[in-house]
Amino acid sequence: MAKAPRNRPHFLMQGGGESEIYTSPRRGSSGLPPARARAAHAAKLEQALGQAIAGARQQLLTRDPQLAEGEAGFYLDFEVPVEHQAALDGLENRPRKIELVAVHPPTEDAETMRATVFVPEAQAEYFTNKVEQYRNEETAGGKPKNQNLVARIEDVRLSALRSLFTDADDLFPGDGVRVWWEVWLRDRRLPNFRAVAARLEVTVKPHLVSFPERDVVLALADTETMARLVMNTDAVAELRAPKDSPSFFLDMRPVDQADWAGDLVDRALAPGALAPAVCVLDSGCTQGHPLIAPGLEPEDQHAYDNAWGVGDSAFWTGHGTMMAGVALYRDLEAALATGEVIELTHRLETVKVLPPNAQNDPELYGAVTEVGIGKVEAAAPGRRRVFCMAVTSNVGLGRGRPSSWSAAVDKLCYGGGDQRRLMVLAAGNIRDPIDADEYLDANDLAEAENPCQAWNALVVGAYTDKTTITHTDFAGWNALAPAGDLSPASRTSNVWDRQWPIRPDVVFEGGNFGHDGMNPAEAIDDLQLVTTHYRPNVRLFDSFGDTSAAAALAANFSAGIIAERPELWAETVRGLMVHSAEWTPAMRAWFDAAGSQAQRAALLRRYGWGVPDLERALLSASNDATLMVEDALLPFRKDGSAIKTRDMHLHRLPWPRDELLALGEQDVELRVTLSYFVEPNPGERGWTRRHRYASHALRFAVKRSLENLQQFRQRINRAAEAEEEGQVGAAAGADEWLLGTIRDRGSIHSDIWRGSAAALADRDAIGIFPVSGWWKEKPGLQRWERSARYSLLVSLRAPEAEVDLYTSIANRLVIPIQV
């Protein structure tokens, strides 16, 4: 999204200086000021209002017309005695759009209380006129006009951002710290708020809670940005610290947990007979948990060794049941807190791959995984499913080199013929104590664990948006990771050799750690997810985090895609997760500061392609259209005794050329993702050209605006030849691509091109072509004749354009548009 030009000073809602605090004169027996003090009281208030309005007008000069939405205005703070709080109603005048937006509860023993009022610019003199009438005019009964209001106002001043914050002062964020705000919005002004937030690149959660006169959303910003947001919209009524905290549920008595769980069970709709499944390979699961039972049938529980049983165990602290709770409900905390019906669109399956009282031999994990999957598929062979495994090992690590376990995962995903399996793996966690000053450096040095070397699986790391600590036991503690950055225990692939895949592929919420500034950081309930406890007779809820929780969320996400689009290939579902992912503002700040491709590559190996968005994965918008292609090509052919490259596919893009040319120099974005599975050949023989791990590789290239199709084909042929000679990424080039040659690792490739709409108009073709692998280098194994499936995803985004690209593309494809 285009950024507003930074050519104006930052805005702070503090006015031109604070007004002198005025204490009302001594009152007579009636409780009102004596007559001769009336003029003095009015004069004091007029002076305070004059200062406040002068400061407000200075603020309004800084309102940015490129950002602003809604009616220009400002906020005033009024102080009234606690015993006269009924007078606050008189501060509001709805016909004039003057609204009492927030009343701050008085502190203990306080004599006054503060109220904040929004005043449109057109009504700036409203309260000054009220005071003037109080001083100079009387009612028919001989009393000063507006006496019930004006006489009870102790002081008035221009509001600062803190004035809108109605929680305890010690919860107000420090300067420069990006935190989540609970933003209470005035009636019917949510679109204004979202529009300005988007222009300021403030992340706003998609979910909201609506009340008769307020909408409540969560927004991520520092105090300076939030002040600009407030100034440039008339939407904000008050600000609070987010209240939903895992500790609310985790600190409950078991009987209270049972009540909350029972309420959710009553609202949960069990998955249908044809619903897809998330199959959790872990320590088993407690099927009898009331929140698990609606989504898990007893016949869908299995074990590698039948003697182990299928239930969860204390040895693994109920890890499998924790995974199941997140995989089934996604955000269990939100599901408990809402009163809405929760539709479970997928079911659970579980496979116990961990013995109840010990650990498996790491060398056998590949066989254990294969046997477990085989049992599930034999029990329900026609069911669509995603396999989720958070079991990892630090045995067999080798800077990205495949292991027997990771190769077994690749073999299972690749399957045979048209059979493919979608597997989600956790990147693994740092097990050593985490010091605050080593955060991110330690993560970059901690390599993703076995079996994350697998090329075909989706490997999930953890990020976090959880930064609010409210529990009194941790007063003075701070969250270790900033909002939107890497979860403290998440591993990366930065120490891997460069030829191996980028890991993680994507990141999901994994919770945060708290620290006291002296000791190693630790996971605390306020910063974790809520999930299901494996012993429901003792307690029903447990805290959960790290890459295990992130992997469970990713499995839930992918099952959501399958539930909506059951016909999609496994390669496509994996591709959509990467294609819909975006880096958070915290991550983007690192990428923006990266001065070289090597630095970008390191960040990609830390964050993957970012945080997926389910709505974006499933739906297009008028200015954000996605094309999906599922196809296959024959990569190689036999020419005498030699195996040579065979097919290249050219896909014409149905761009709305006229609309793009009309947009001219306006910025647009093209995103391309190519997803395919490889057949592994894991023998450790130096990974030379003849002993490649992958059966084949595919690349994409996009036609340039000054190329014709023949020139484009010639460029692709040269790039394929260069790759054969070892020049990785020959097709990518610079050409305004964000990642370029970095993207060509593993078996999923995604990149973003940004430029003018006019320049994109003639970039109307994408080529998919093969490069060598062991299918070609080992003709004796008779694989060269196999076809290679792939999924191609292409999105055209014009975030600032008021043009319906989707309809134009659909017309070119002759696709009916559902209303």
Side-chain angles (χ1 to χ4, degrees), residues 114-155:
R114 179 163 46 94
T116 302
V117 177
F118 176 80
V119 182
E121 183 179 19
Q123 301 295 329
E125 300 296 333
Y126 174 81
F127 287 104
T128 302
N129 293 336
K130 285 278 187 182
V131 174
E132 184 177 344
Q133 290 171 345
Y134 165 76
R135 182 184 59 190
N136 299 329
E137 301 179 29
E138 293 184 349
T139 66
K143 294 183 178 180
K145 289 192 72 171
N146 309 317
Q147 175 175 277
N148 289 339
L149 173 64
V150 178
R152 289 170 172 80
I153 297 174
E154 295 277 353
D155 191 24

Side-chain angles (χ1 to χ4, degrees), residues 161 173-179 181 202 220-227:
L161 184 70
D175 291 340
V177 180
R178 295 171 68 249
V179 299
W181 304 76
V202 170
L220 178 65
D222 57 23
T223 54
E224 182 179 291
T225 305
M226 182 55 71

Side-chain angles (χ1 to χ4, degrees), residues 252-489:
M252 283 182 181
R253 298 176 304 163
V255 64
D256 295 324
Q257 289 187 347
D259 288 341
W260 282 85
D263 174 72
L264 177 52
V265 169
D266 291 340
R267 293 183 282 110
L269 299 180
L274 300 179
V278 171
C279 180
V280 179
L281 295 91
D282 210 278
S283 61
C285 183
T286 303
Q287 190 273 337
H289 193 294
L291 293 175
I292 297 295
L296 177 61
E297 299 293 338
E299 59 267 26
D300 288 330
Q301 290 193 275
H302 310 275
Y304 167 73
D305 185 337
N306 292 337
W308 294 352
V310 296
D312 217 335
S313 68
F315 185 84
W316 300 104
T317 62
H319 191 269
T321 306
M322 294 179 185
M323 291 286 295
V326 175
L328 184 60
Y329 289 96
R330 186 172 59 184
D331 188 343
L332 183 56
E333 183 183 346
L336 289 165
T338 184
E340 299 176 357
V341 172
I342 303 297
E343 182 180 2
L344 302 177
T345 59
H346 62 271
R347 66 180 66 250
L348 291 175
E349 298 170 330
T350 64
V351 183
K352 193 168 186 172
V353 297
L354 297 172
N357 298 305
Q359 295 188 7
N360 292 317
D361 182 347
E363 296 300 320
L364 295 178
Y365 276 135
V368 171
T369 304
E370 189 169 357
V371 169
I373 287 176
K375 288 189 173 185
V376 171
E377 293 179 334
R383 182 179 292 162
R384 289 294 308 272
R385 57 177 58 85
V386 53
F387 295 96
C388 178
M389 185 165 63
V391 179
T392 62
S393 172
N394 57 9
V395 177
L397 301 183
R399 300 173 66 91
R401 293 193 307 273
S403 67
S404 63
W405 189 8
S406 72
V409 168
D410 275 335
K411 178 183 173 184
L412 287 163
C413 292
Y414 180 76
D418 289 335
Q419 181 188 15
R420 297 288 191 270
R421 296 180 180 91
L422 178 61
M423 293 192 68
V424 173
L425 307 178
N429 305 318
I430 297 175
R431 295 178 173 86
D432 297 327
I434 298 174
D435 293 326
D437 57 358
E438 295 178 356
Y439 168 66
L440 289 182
D441 290 335
N443 302 87
D444 287 338
L445 293 174
E447 63 176 299
E449 294 190 312
N450 196 6
C452 292
Q453 308 96 308
W455 288 42
N456 296 333
L458 186 92
V459 176
V460 181
Y463 90 110
T464 187
D465 273 331
K466 295 182 176 289
T467 58
T468 303
I469 300 173
T470 61
H471 201 290
T472 54
D473 289 352
F474 300 99
W477 285 48
N478 294 308
L480 175 55
D485 217 317
L486 201 68
S487 190

Side-chain angles (χ1 to χ4, degrees), residues 101 111 120 131 170 206 208 217 226 267 271 354 361 401 410 422 438 442 466 496 526 551 605 665 678 724 731 814:
V101 294
E111 295 184 356
V131 174
D170 58 358
L208 73 150
V217 296
M226 182 55 71
R267 293 183 282 110
L354 297 172
D361 182 347
R401 293 193 307 273
D410 275 335
L422 178 61
E438 295 178 356
K466 295 182 176 289
W496 283 12
D526 274 349
R605 289 185 175 274
E665 294 303 309
V678 301
E724 289 295 311
V814 198

